[in-house]
């Protein structure tokens, strides 16, 4: 439907139970494709058009699989408006001015696979986010997933293979998918939908992290660290989990190596030369003595916790520490506030308008 058509004037296409293919259509004026929420009515009467023979007629009127756009390849998207459309299988590669497309209403994209996956001997799980069909095709290709039958429903635990699943030359590369994510992210940001753009920023960073052609090894390592610590600044739970782990490790290391056995007392020494007395007061360096069992006490836990909490806001606790403990505190005062900032950044990215 609508493939290789030409639209010379403004048009609004209202459809139900349809799969719209806009591939290589020429849009000379704005064109809107809208999922109609209710049955159509006859023009000569007020009775609705029967939908008994339509596929999925028994489903809810606004279920996301009612109207699908399967391709906008080769389309000048600057004139395209999609409202309440399912874009889970839509191919965007080859579209022009994709950053100017308008996506309105309940526009849905394909989700990531659910559940735990296995890569070699390492278990892994993908965080929930909206993804493009091109990313599904690339990941299904590198995972060597089997080709499903045409009548089979998509497996929610697997990536969706593309139409050229067995041909690597026709499967999008990470650099191509990253460009698509970047343009769609800008489209959401221009529409003042910052939370909606977050998933596309995540997808862009993911593709750059996997791109071995245009992304240098150093940049990929930085992206890997950014992903690991905070999910590219979009996963607050991950950043706060690392924050809690860093503070717990700081407390543990301070109890074992950083807190002295006792507070060093100042000592004063003097010399008498004739009628003059010279006095010198010095405080010995904090030292750690005692057995391992003596280092585990609630008093030491309280002192170490105070040091760790103060490091969150770059404050010194004023606690006497050994030389090793001083370096532990310095490291904590650098790392812990960074993790806190990443967590706050992730929250802001999800609620900013």
């Amino acid at each position: 439907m609508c493939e290789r058509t030409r639209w010379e004037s403004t048009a609004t296409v209202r459809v139900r139970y349809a799969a719209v293919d806009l591939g290589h259509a020429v849009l000379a004026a704005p064109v809107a494709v809208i999922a109609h929420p209710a049955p159509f009515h006859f023009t000569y009467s007020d009775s609705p058009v029967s939908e008994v023979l339509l596929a999925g007629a028994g489903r809810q009127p606004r279920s996301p699989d009612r109207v699908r756009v399967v391709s906008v390849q080769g389309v000048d998207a600057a004139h395209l408006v999609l409202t309440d459309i399912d874009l889970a299988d839509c191919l965007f590669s080859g579209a022009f001015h994709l950053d100017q497309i308008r996506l309105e209403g309940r526009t849905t994209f394909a989700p990531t696979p659910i559940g735990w996956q296995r890569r070699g001997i390492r278990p892994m799980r993908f965080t929930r986010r909206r993804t493009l069909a091109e990313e599904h095709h690339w990941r299904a290709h590198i995972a060597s997933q089997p080709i499903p039958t045409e009548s089979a429903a998509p497996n929610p635990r697997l990536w969706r293979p593309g139409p050229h699943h067995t041909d690597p030359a026709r499967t999008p590369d990470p650099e191509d998918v990253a460009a698509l994510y970047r343009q769609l992210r800008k489209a959401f940001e221009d529409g003042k939908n910052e939370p909606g753009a977050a998933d596309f920023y995540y997808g862009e960073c993911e593709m750059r992290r996997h791109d071995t052609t245009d992304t240098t090894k150093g940049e990929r390592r930085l992206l890997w660290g950014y992903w690991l610590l905070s999910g590219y600044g979009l996963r607050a739970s991950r950043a706060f989990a690392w924050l809690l782990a860093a503070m717990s490790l700081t407390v543990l290391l301070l109890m074992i190596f950083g807190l002295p056995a006792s507070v060093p007392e100042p000592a004063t020494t003097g010399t008498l030369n004739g009628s003059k007395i010279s006095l010198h007061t010095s405080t010995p360096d904090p030292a750690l003595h005692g057995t391992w069992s003596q280092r585990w006490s609630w008093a030491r836990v309280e002192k170490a916790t105070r040091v760790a909490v103060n490091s969150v806001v770059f404050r010194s606790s004023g606690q006497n520490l050994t030389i090793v403990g001083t370096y532990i505190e310095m490291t904590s005062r650098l790392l812990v506030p960074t993790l806190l900032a990443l967590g706050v950044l992730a929250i802001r990215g999800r609620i900013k308008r």
Side-chain angles (χ1 to χ4, degrees):
M1 176 182 177
C2 301
E3 184 179 9
R4 297 186 182 276
T5 54
R6 185 178 184 88
W7 305 78
E8 293 290 350
S9 62
T10 301
T12 299
V13 182
R14 302 180 185 273
V15 290
R16 288 171 60 80
Y17 307 106
V20 182
D21 187 350
L22 292 170
H24 305 285
V26 178
L27 309 182
V31 173
V33 179
I34 301 175
H36 199 62
F40 293 104
H41 287 69
F42 290 105
T43 56
Y44 53 83
S45 68
D46 196 30
S47 59
V49 176
S50 175
E51 298 180 340
V52 176
L53 299 180
L54 297 178
R59 301 178 185 175
Q60 294 297 323
R62 294 182 66 86
S63 60
D65 59 342
R66 297 301 297 275
V67 176
R68 299 183 300 122
V69 171
V70 297
S71 175
V72 294
Q73 292 180 304
V75 175
D76 187 350
H79 294 301
L80 184 60
V81 181
L82 303 177
T83 304
D84 294 339
I85 302 297
D86 178 10
L87 299 175
D89 298 312
C90 183
L91 299 177
F92 290 94
S93 56
F96 304 100
H97 301 125
L98 197 57
D99 58 326
Q100 299 179 37
I101 192 173
R102 289 183 56 188
L103 303 176
E104 308 287 349
R106 295 178 56 190
T107 302
T108 59
F109 291 84
T112 53
I114 62 175
W116 287 92
Q117 313 288 327
R118 181 178 295 275
R119 180 175 295 176
I121 61 174
R122 179 168 59 92
M124 61 183 303
R125 184 177 65 87
F126 294 97
T127 56
R128 299 293 288 173
R129 60 183 174 91
R130 294 179 294 177
T131 57
L132 298 182
E134 282 84 354
E135 181 180 354
H136 273 260
H137 300 168
W138 174 74
R139 289 189 182 272
H141 174 72
I142 63 172
S144 301
Q145 290 182 192
I147 302 177
T149 60
E150 294 184 2
S151 59
N155 188 340
R157 299 183 62 86
L158 299 176
W159 298 97
R160 303 184 183 189
H164 309 292
H165 180 57
T166 58
D167 187 358
R170 303 180 68 179
T171 300
D173 294 325
E175 57 182 313
D176 302 322
V177 184
L180 297 178
Y181 273 120
R182 187 178 305 114
Q183 294 180 74
L184 286 172
R185 172 175 62 86
K186 185 177 183 300
F188 275 92
E189 290 174 345
D190 291 344
K192 306 303 180 183
N193 187 359
E194 295 284 347
D199 282 345
F200 294 90
Y201 175 71
Y202 192 105
E204 177 189 350
C205 290
E206 273 287 277
M207 293 298 98
R208 289 174 56 201
R209 183 166 67 92
H210 290 286
D211 179 19
T212 58
T213 303
D214 289 347
T215 307
T216 63
K217 182 180 293 186
E219 186 178 352
R220 291 201 306 273
R221 289 176 177 174
L222 287 175
L223 287 169
W224 182 85
Y226 195 23
W227 164 79
L228 183 65
L229 291 178
S230 64
Y232 307 115
L234 295 172
R235 299 294 183 262
S237 58
R238 190 179 305 178
F240 286 126
W242 279 109
L243 173 63
L244 180 61
M247 294 181 66
S248 301
L249 181 61
T250 300
V251 171
L252 180 63
L253 292 177
L254 287 174
M255 289 178 60
I256 299 176
F257 304 108
L259 294 175
S262 59
V263 178
E265 297 291 341
T268 302
T269 59
T271 57
L272 178 61
N273 295 320
S275 60
K276 294 183 179 180
I277 299 177
S278 299
L279 299 177
H280 176 70
T281 302
S282 62
T283 302
D285 292 333
L288 183 60
H289 304 290
T291 62
W292 285 96
S293 60
Q294 293 175 336
R295 302 182 187 184
W296 303 94
S297 65
W298 286 112
R300 292 175 65 84
V301 170
E302 189 273 333
K303 293 179 181 179
T305 302
R306 191 188 315 137
V307 174
V309 171
N310 276 279
S311 66
V312 176
V313 290
F314 292 100
R315 289 181 55 188
S316 176
S317 63
Q319 173 68 45
N320 289 311
L321 300 173
T322 63
I323 295 178
V324 175
T326 301
Y327 282 103
I328 293 173
E329 184 187 32
M330 291 170 57
T331 304
S332 178
R333 290 173 64 183
L334 175 65
L335 178 61
V336 171
T338 302
L339 294 173
L340 178 63
L342 289 174
V344 174
L345 176 65
I347 295 176
R348 179 180 178 273
R350 287 298 183 180
I351 63 176
K352 180 183 177 182
R353 287 291 181 182

